[in-house]
Amino acid sequence: MNDQDEVTGVVLAGGLARRMNKQDKGLIEYDNRPMVSYAVDAMTQVASTVLINANRNISEYKSFGCEVISDQTDSFDGPLAGIFSAMLYAKTDTLCVMPCDSPLIKAEHLNKLLAAFTQNNADIAVAFDGERIHPVFLVLKTSLQNSLNQYLLQGDRKIDLWLQQHKLIKVDFSQNAEVFLNINTLSELNTLEKKQG
């Protein structure tokens, strides 16, 4: 288990959601609740401070009781830009990251990432479903901010390539890979609601 006082959590809600008609994914309802609320619930149980990274609808996101931080640029540069903003804001050595559109993730899954990160003295722990990594579910050292800043300044956006530059541990979630389901389209949302309902 982790020491909660040493972890900052960030929920990534800063994207443009192009496949959702540019609706703000975190605010779309899944099972009668905004999707971001599931992420905030899970993150609040593992982190002393929870941030939401959002670039629009800031006042709505503030209503979830978290500090809302935006990217350093206004060009919607993807998840790494949100992670970088959270690193700059965090007062802790450890940052726990998840997206706003995966309502099946629970605190126990985040705790598994945190435990692997600590036990392996890794720079970054990332979720792995047995076939591929899920690069926006991760725990990392906030001291990597200079490395990430350099990467972003070069114009690079691919999260996997940046992760591979560091001491990376893949955390095996092959037994419950379905929790990483993220909702990119309204039809995926309807399918998941029917399946869970």
Side-chain angles (χ1 to χ4, degrees):
M1 292 299 283
N2 65 292
D3 183 338
Q4 202 171 346
D5 291 337
E6 294 175 9
V7 178
T8 299
V10 62
V11 177
L12 299 175
L16 269 178
R18 289 177 180 87
R19 286 176 288 180
M20 276 247 190
N21 308 324
K22 294 195 178 178
Q23 291 187 60
D24 202 327
K25 274 206 284 192
L27 300 175
I28 291 175
E29 292 207 345
Y30 163 74
D31 201 17
N32 300 314
R33 285 173 54 190
M35 277 204 280
V36 72
S37 68
Y38 296 92
V40 169
D41 281 358
M43 200 60 92
T44 303
Q45 295 175 61
V46 303
S48 54
T49 302
V50 179
L51 312 171
I52 297 175
N53 165 237
N55 294 309
R56 51 196 179 140
N57 299 315
I58 307 297
S59 57
E60 285 92 328
Y61 278 114
K62 282 187 173 165
S63 72
F64 295 96
C66 302
E67 189 77 34
V68 177
I69 57 165
S70 297
D71 294 351
Q72 302 298 299
T73 63
D74 55 10
S75 46
F76 292 91
D77 290 329
L80 284 177
I83 292 168
F84 179 63
S85 281
M87 285 174 154
L88 294 177
Y89 188 90
K91 311 275 193 295
T92 61
D93 293 336
T94 303
L95 186 68
C96 184
V97 181
M98 72 172 287
C100 66
D101 59 350
S102 295
L104 304 184
I105 289 287
K106 303 275 191 287
E108 66 199 74
H109 306 120
L110 300 175
N111 269 323
K112 183 173 176 178
L113 278 174
L114 284 157
F117 172 79
T118 304
Q119 287 158 13
N120 291 279
N121 194 26
D123 289 333
I124 304 170
V126 66
F128 177 68
D129 68 6
E131 292 181 14
R132 63 190 187 96
I133 65 167
H134 290 269
V136 286
F137 295 92
L138 47 89
V139 176
L140 69 167
K141 292 178 177 173
T142 51
S143 59
L144 298 176
Q145 63 179 258
N146 287 340
S147 159
L148 181 50
N149 190 33
Q150 289 302 313
Y151 188 75
L152 290 169
L153 287 173
Q154 289 164 19
D156 290 316
R157 299 289 175 264
K158 282 199 170 1
I159 192 166
D160 308 41
L161 295 179
W162 181 73
L163 296 180
Q164 288 160 19
Q165 295 177 11
H166 302 283
K167 185 182 175 189
L168 180 68
I169 177 92
K170 293 178 184 175
V171 185
D172 183 10
F173 284 91
S174 53
Q175 298 302 307
N176 43 5
E178 72 287 345
V179 299
F180 298 108
L181 184 76
N182 69 324
I183 295 169
N184 289 310
T185 64
L186 293 171
S187 65
E188 286 176 9
L189 178 67
N190 293 334
T191 303
L192 181 63
E193 285 191 320
K194 285 194 184 92
K195 205 189 305 186
Q196 299 293 316

Short mmCIF file of all heavy atoms in Angstrom, two decimals, residues 11 28 53 75 96 159:
data_model
loop_
_atom_site.label_atom_id
_atom_site.label_comp_id
_atom_site.label_asym_id
_atom_site.label_seq_id
_atom_site.Cartn_x
_atom_site.Cartn_y
_atom_site.Cartn_z
N VAL A 11 -6.54 13.34 -12.99
CA VAL A 11 -7.50 12.75 -13.93
C VAL A 11 -7.42 13.55 -15.22
O VAL A 11 -7.62 14.78 -15.22
CB VAL A 11 -8.93 12.80 -13.36
CG1 VAL A 11 -9.93 12.25 -14.37
CG2 VAL A 11 -9.01 12.02 -12.04
N ILE A 28 -19.79 13.66 -19.94
CA ILE A 28 -20.85 12.80 -20.48
C ILE A 28 -21.23 11.77 -19.42
O ILE A 28 -20.37 11.22 -18.72
CB ILE A 28 -20.36 12.12 -21.77
CG1 ILE A 28 -20.22 13.17 -22.88
CG2 ILE A 28 -21.31 11.01 -22.21
CD1 ILE A 28 -19.62 12.63 -24.15
N ASN A 53 -7.15 17.59 -15.01
CA ASN A 53 -6.55 18.33 -16.12
C ASN A 53 -7.63 18.54 -17.17
O ASN A 53 -8.12 17.59 -17.78
CB ASN A 53 -5.37 17.53 -16.69
CG ASN A 53 -4.93 18.04 -18.05
OD1 ASN A 53 -4.91 17.30 -19.02
ND2 ASN A 53 -4.59 19.31 -18.14
N SER A 75 -2.97 24.23 -27.36
CA SER A 75 -3.06 23.49 -28.62
C SER A 75 -3.51 22.04 -28.46
O SER A 75 -3.37 21.25 -29.38
CB SER A 75 -1.72 23.56 -29.36
OG SER A 75 -0.64 23.31 -28.48
N CYS A 96 0.04 9.92 -9.73
CA CYS A 96 -0.78 8.81 -10.21
C CYS A 96 -1.73 9.38 -11.26
O CYS A 96 -2.37 10.41 -11.04
CB CYS A 96 -1.55 8.20 -9.04
SG CYS A 96 -2.53 6.75 -9.47
N ILE A 159 3.19 8.98 -26.25
CA ILE A 159 3.44 8.71 -24.84
C ILE A 159 4.31 7.46 -24.64
O ILE A 159 5.22 7.43 -23.81
CB ILE A 159 2.10 8.63 -24.06
CG1 ILE A 159 2.34 8.64 -22.56
CG2 ILE A 159 1.26 7.46 -24.50
CD1 ILE A 159 1.05 8.90 -21.76
#
